[in-house]
Structure formats: structure tokens, C-alpha cells
Amino acid sequence: MHFIKILGFLIITQIPARAQDFKSDVTKINVAYKDLNLVHINVTYNLYKNHISKILYKSDKGEVIKKGKKQLYRISTVEMLTNEKYCIMTDKNTKLLVVSDPVNIRKQYLPIDLDTTMKLFKSIEFFKVSESQYGYKLKFDFTDYEEIDFCFNPKSFFIEKLTIYQRSPVKLDPTNDTMQKEKPRMEIIYKYDTKPQEPDAKIFSEKNY
């Protein structure tokens, strides 16, 4: 299984040598996720009003539980289940229930379609957070995002953080008359359970809905 498949479409002939390292690192990321059968990830979503703000506007917690081709994704009141028969999305607040055919589960816990987005980057910049965390800044001209940064562990090659810089200004609270439109930033932090327990098979059943 590929959680993050960013290869196969990279056109790097006009990008400096750093792109070659990027390609190599992303290959290793794909390999790291490919054969994972049992996964439990705790996910934190931190929303900021603009690209530089250090003041947290909103935070949500979520989790991803995967066993083979079955996956359950939860965040706040929203759940998304994928099993052999269905893909089911439900929101307990709005009472929304959507049922469709199974989808590629690697895309469910990412808020963007990296396969499409990564075709359009204009520049790559490598950065090192620490000896245990490396990252890349990807900048764009013609997408909804000005920049996407992702950090990964250079030993496990698991993605640990994704930061999305929105291009268009938005009003995060439409009911607040004094709030100005700004370009928000979303930081998504992934914490992996190093020894995930076998999940109860019942959590992957469509009968729960």
C-alpha cells in the first residue's frame, strides 16, 4: 500500500540536484508504507489564521486504524470507513451519511490529493528540523496552495508532519463580522503507534452505520 505516492509524474530535468534527493527520499517513503498491514496513527490538525501566526485558532484530533485493506478514519464527529464492500463517510453532527464503492485507502487521511498536486510544483527546498526529522518545501503557482511542507523521519521514512499554506484568503468564522479574510495555514501531525494492537474486526463493519 502506498500512503504517499509522489513518484512517476515528477518532471525534474529543469530542477537542480536537490530534486534527485527528493525523488530518492520519496521512493523510500513509498517503500516504507508499501507493505504495512497493521497501522494505528494519531493525527492532530492545527489551524492558524494565516501563514505566520503562532496563535492556534483551532485544533482537532483524529486517528487512522488500518488492517489489510480495511481502514477506519476518525476526526471530531466525522468517520470514514473503507472495507471490501463499501466506503462510508458519516458526520454525527449533521447526520450525513454517504456510501460509495471502496476507494484507495492511502488517500483518506490526507486533506489533499498529492498525486495531482505534486505534478504542479515550481520549486523544491530541502530543510532539516533535526537529525531525526528532514523535510521539503514545495512551492506552487497554479494550485489552491502556495506551499506544502512535509517532514519525515530519515530512518523510518514515515511522514510526521504536513503543513499546508492556503493561497486564497478566507474568513474562518463567517458569523464573526469583525474577522478579516486571511490566508490560513494547516499543520497536520502524525504520531505512529510503534506496536499497534490488533483491532476488533467489528470496527470495520458497515453494520455500525
Side-chain angles (χ1 to χ4, degrees):
M1 182 197 70
H2 291 188
F3 274 115
I4 309 228
K5 185 179 180 184
I6 316 177
L7 292 178
F9 50 72
L10 290 175
I11 301 174
I12 60 174
T13 55
Q14 296 181 352
I15 299 175
R18 186 67 248 175
Q20 296 293 339
D21 298 331
F22 172 71
K23 180 178 179 180
S24 174
D25 287 339
V26 172
T27 299
K28 293 174 183 177
I29 289 170
N30 280 326
V31 170
Y33 284 107
K34 182 178 180 181
D35 297 323
L36 284 179
N37 182 61
L38 183 61
V39 180
H40 181 221
I41 311 171
N42 290 304
V43 189
T44 302
Y45 298 81
N46 292 327
L47 178 64
Y48 297 84
K49 287 184 178 181
N50 56 55
H51 289 186
I52 63 174
S53 176
K54 295 182 179 180
I55 300 174
L56 184 63
Y57 176 74
K58 184 181 179 181
S59 183
D60 278 311
K61 299 287 187 181
E63 67 174 339
V64 179
I65 304 170
K66 176 187 174 292
K67 173 67 184 296
K69 295 183 178 181
K70 301 175 183 179
Q71 179 169 289
L72 179 63
Y73 166 75
R74 296 179 175 132
I75 175 174
S76 187
T77 61
V78 176
E79 290 190 5
M80 182 179 288
L81 170 71
T82 295
N83 60 24
E84 295 91 339
K85 299 178 182 178
Y86 305 104
C87 177
I88 300 172
M89 185 182 73
T90 179
D91 187 327
K92 295 179 182 178
N93 275 354
T94 64
K95 309 301 181 183
L96 175 70
L97 178 66
V98 179
V99 181
S100 63
D101 293 333
V103 297
N104 189 337
I105 62 176
R106 72 176 173 80
K107 294 182 178 180
Q108 288 186 13
Y109 79 96
L110 294 174
I112 57 175
D113 184 349
L114 286 178
D115 282 1
T116 300
T117 303
M118 294 306 173
K119 295 178 184 179
L120 305 173
F121 69 85
K122 70 173 183 179
S123 67
I124 302 171
E125 179 184 341
F126 172 81
F127 63 92
K128 181 185 289 188
V129 180
S130 67
E131 291 301 322
S132 61
Q133 193 176 77
Y134 295 174
Y136 288 96
K137 295 179 182 288
L138 302 166
K139 296 186 178 181
F140 306 87
D141 277 334
F142 305 110
T143 71
D144 292 336
Y145 319 107
E146 287 187 7
E147 180 180 324
I148 297 174
D149 302 346
F150 72 90
C151 299
F152 63 96
N153 185 303
K155 291 185 178 180
S156 68
F157 284 93
F158 287 172
I159 297 292
E160 295 183 336
K161 185 177 180 181
L162 186 70
T163 305
I164 302 168
Y165 298 84
Q166 190 75 22
R167 182 178 301 280
S168 300
V170 297
K171 192 175 183 178
L172 294 177
D173 183 1
T175 65
N176 187 339
D177 294 334
T178 63
M179 179 177 283
Q180 301 296 314
K181 287 186 176 181
E182 297 185 79
K183 298 179 180 182
R185 178 179 93 254
M186 174 72 80
E187 294 181 354
I188 307 170
I189 301 168
Y190 302 94
K191 298 290 186 182
Y192 299 82
D193 190 340
T194 57
K195 296 181 179 180
Q197 296 184 353
E198 188 80 17
D200 187 336
K202 293 180 181 179
I203 70 170
F204 299 120
S205 173
E206 66 275 8
K207 295 180 181 179
N208 294 327
Y209 307 96

